[in-house]
Amino acid sequence: GQLGGDLEAGRRHARAVADKLREVLARPCELDGSSYVSTASIGITLFPKDREGVDDLLREADIAMYRAKEAGRNRVAFFAAAMQAEVEERLALEQALQRAIVAGGIDVHVQPQFDADGQEVGGELLLRWLDPARGPVSPARFIPLAEETGLILPLGDIVLRRACQALARLHAAGRELHLSVNVSPRQFRRDDFVERVQELLHETGAPAGSLILEVTEGLLIENWESTLARMQRLVALGVRFSIDDFGTGYSSLGYLKKLPLYELKIDRGFVADTPDDPSDTAIVQAILSVARHLGLHVVAEGVETQAQADFLRANHCGGLQGFLLARPQPLADWLDRQLGVPEGLPLAAD
């Protein structure tokens, strides 16, 4: 029936109906002696609107429902025209990213890492995308999209292959540097992930001990036994593991003893305010102390000032990464420098 004589009244009444639905759904339901509770994300659109049919209204309500989910679930969201524009832009971005992957338009950069003495010991591989229409697209924008759509799988393959190819070249030249690769939960949980890593190591001749896989703490929350088993299989190949952005996610110290880890990476958010901020300084010192007692290597990300570097070195942080030391650069250029290739004489193409 009609919800109101004007738009605002309609919104109020629609919201009241939606809240009643959520309240009813939230009541415990007894099934086979167990109590269950349901929640609902509800999307609402109002009509009549010019030249819109039933299909248009259903699409708008669906878009609003997904916005309610994105906001934290068990919420109510109203459709707004801006949402449609966002959906269309997201679809266009997804299609552009897919084309870039197929056409080789995704570039791999590396940010060097240094030990406490200032010696370059390796680097972390990073993805860069220069879209012809949009220009540079931030990884903070396209990586989450890739995760949601499954495009993170071909992206992950690109990075792993490039890492193994680079490590093989370094090893052949007697340069025993490591390369770190971020592995998404979706990529890590692929049934054939271990086999894929093993295949790339064998195919390229890369030394497994120089490949570090960076995973987030969130990976450890679900399917603990399966995750542990998969990590153990990879470590048996010689691959090493690093916990990225340590201290910002799951943060249960118990898993540090149980997992076959090599390294912790201190999130740049903690490093940014050291040594001036007492809280962040204490957190960094605590992470370094725990790692030292457990025999884990540590890399601090986001080192941008000399004061930060001095503080980290004074507290026995074994690895530093950040703009103070070196900015990200194309992997091909970094390899040329490591292998002593004269400028203007590129390596053979991959």
Side-chain angles (χ1 to χ4, degrees):
Q2 185 170 330
L3 292 172
D6 58 59
L7 186 63
E8 186 54 38
R11 286 176 62 90
R12 287 198 306 270
H13 290 143
R15 179 60 190 256
V17 172
D19 285 339
K20 285 181 181 178
L21 283 172
R22 290 173 57 239
E23 181 182 341
V24 171
L25 289 169
R27 293 172 186 168
C29 178
E30 299 294 328
L31 290 174
D32 296 330
S34 298
S35 181
Y36 296 89
V37 175
S38 299
T39 61
S41 298
I42 300 176
I44 301 173
T45 189
L46 300 176
F47 66 94
K49 297 175 183 174
D50 292 341
R51 298 183 298 278
E52 282 201 345
V54 173
D55 290 343
D56 298 312
L57 295 170
L58 289 173
R59 186 188 68 254
E60 291 175 359
D62 193 51
I63 291 171
M65 181 267 290
Y66 277 104
R67 175 56 60 88
K69 285 186 175 183
E70 292 171 0
R73 299 181 180 272
N74 195 29
R75 296 170 184 262
V76 177
F78 283 85
F79 176 79
M83 291 182 185
Q84 180 70 27
E86 289 176 13
V87 170
E88 291 173 355
E89 168 56 21
R90 183 183 182 280
L91 179 59
L93 190 66
E94 177 187 344
Q95 294 171 340
L97 178 58
Q98 193 163 22
R99 289 193 298 268
I101 292 172
V102 172
I106 302 297
D107 198 11
V108 178
H109 285 217
V110 59
Q111 183 164 26
Q113 296 175 344
F114 298 80
D115 64 17
D117 297 325
Q119 182 71 30
E120 191 171 357
V121 292
E124 176 186 358
L125 296 193
L126 307 168
L127 287 172
R128 294 293 183 264
W129 177 24
L130 181 64
D131 182 63
R134 297 171 177 81
V137 182
S138 169
R141 188 179 179 196
F142 73 81
I143 294 297
L145 176 65
E147 276 279 6
E148 294 169 16
T149 60
L151 291 175
I152 197 68
L153 300 180
L155 280 176
D157 275 349
I158 289 171
V159 181
L160 270 175
R161 174 173 288 279
R162 294 291 300 276
C164 289
Q165 289 172 335
L167 288 172
R169 290 175 177 171
L170 291 166
H171 180 68
R175 298 282 288 142
E176 301 304 326
L177 301 170
H178 71 255
L179 287 175
S180 296
V181 174
N182 291 278
V183 176
S184 77
R186 191 165 186 168
Q187 181 185 8
F188 182 85
R189 293 190 178 112
R190 286 185 66 170
D191 291 341
D192 64 346
F193 180 67
V194 176
E195 288 74 18
R196 180 61 179 151
V197 173
Q198 186 173 20
E199 176 186 311
L200 284 171
L201 290 171
H202 177 73
E203 176 187 325
T204 61
S210 296
L211 177 64
I212 299 176
L213 301 182
E214 293 189 14
V215 297
T216 61
E217 293 173 286
L219 177 69
L220 311 173
I221 297 176
E222 298 180 5
N223 302 318
W224 162 262
E225 292 182 358
S226 174
T227 297
L228 176 59
R230 189 161 295 188
M231 290 179 72
Q232 289 172 333
R233 289 176 62 196
L234 287 161
V235 168
L237 297 177
V239 175
R240 294 183 288 179
F241 274 93
S242 174
I243 299 294
D244 195 19
D245 300 334
F246 182 74
T248 63
Y250 183 48
S251 298
S252 170
L253 297 180
Y255 75 78
L256 293 181
K257 297 188 300 180
K258 301 175 183 178
L259 291 175
L261 298 176
Y262 163 70
E263 176 183 274
L264 304 179
K265 295 194 78 175
I266 302 177
D267 182 69
R268 64 181 63 250
F270 297 134
V271 174
D273 294 325
T274 57
D276 298 326
D277 182 87
S279 297
D280 282 347
T281 298
I283 290 172
V284 171
Q285 289 174 322
I287 293 173
L288 290 169
S289 177
V290 168
R292 187 163 58 251
H293 283 90
L294 293 176
L296 297 174
H297 185 254
V298 178
V299 173
E301 297 181 295
V303 181
E304 298 184 358
T305 70
Q306 190 60 50
Q308 292 167 352
D310 292 342
F311 163 77
L312 290 163
R313 291 186 178 113
N315 284 271
H316 311 290
C317 182
L320 306 178
Q321 174 182 336
F323 287 175
L324 175 71
L325 305 157
R327 291 180 174 271
Q329 55 200 261
L331 176 59
D333 294 347
W334 183 80
L335 269 176
D336 285 352
R337 180 166 58 83
Q338 298 299 333
L339 299 176
V341 176
E343 189 172 349
L345 182 62
L347 292 169
D350 293 338

